[in-house]
């Protein structure tokens, strides 16, 4: 029976803490404005341009380092909503240690910028040791 009382008290305590509310969240700031955004679209392709790359990460940051992120679909297509301005767009697979590309793009308010396939090709940035070892034998 004592366990039930402790459980009920814990539930009530949790309810009070969660319902307390944050007063700063309810006060509107007349000087704040919504972030203006545009879209970037494209197709992530392999370095030789013959194979679409699904599951690639496509992202950028705003001036406060907030990340804007999407992934390419199975056919390599992506659509990224990004803040207005000139940004570096990062495209990579995994953690980017093997394949990645960085491009600069000017994002305009409520506009969609279609990136060319030549811009969205993934570059191989790591050297494959296996190829080097085969050549030396």
């Amino acid at each position: 029976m004592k366990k039930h009382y402790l459980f009920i008290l814990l539930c009530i305590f949790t309810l009070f803490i969660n319902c307390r509310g944050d007063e700063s969240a309810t006060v509107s700031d007349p000087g704040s404005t919504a972030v203006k955004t545009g879209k970037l679209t494209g197709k992530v392709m392999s370095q030789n341009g013959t194979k679409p790359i699904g599951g690639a990460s496509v992202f950028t940051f705003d001036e406060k380092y907030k990340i804007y992120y999407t992934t390419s679909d199975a056919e390599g297509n992506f659509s990224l909503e990004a803040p207005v301005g000139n940004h570096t767009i990062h495209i990579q697979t995994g953690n980017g240690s093997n394949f990645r590309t960085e491009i600069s793009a000017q994002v305009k308010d409520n506009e969609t910028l279609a990136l060319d396939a030549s811009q969205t090709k993934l570059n191989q940035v790591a050297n494959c040791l296996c190829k080097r070892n085969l050549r030396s034998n």
Side-chain angles (χ1 to χ4, degrees), residues 37-90:
T37 61
K39 281 190 180 178
L40 299 165
T41 61
K43 186 169 190 162
V44 181
M45 299 294 287
S46 60
Q47 190 169 3
N48 64 8
T50 61
K51 181 181 174 195
I53 306 297
S57 300
V58 182
F59 60 96
T60 191
F61 301 93
D62 66 10
E63 65 279 350
K64 295 180 182 176
Y65 300 105
K66 176 183 175 189
I67 191 167
Y68 292 78
Y69 175 89
T70 192
T71 54
S72 59
D73 65 14
E75 288 81 38
N77 298 308
F78 68 87
S79 178
L80 175 67
E81 187 171 330
V84 169
N86 191 28
H87 296 283
T88 299
I89 309 303
H90 305 268

Side-chain angles (χ1 to χ4, degrees), residues 5-15:
Y5 288 123
L6 289 175
F7 178 74
I8 292 171
L9 286 174
L10 179 63
C11 290
I12 292 171
F13 180 71
T14 304
L15 180 66

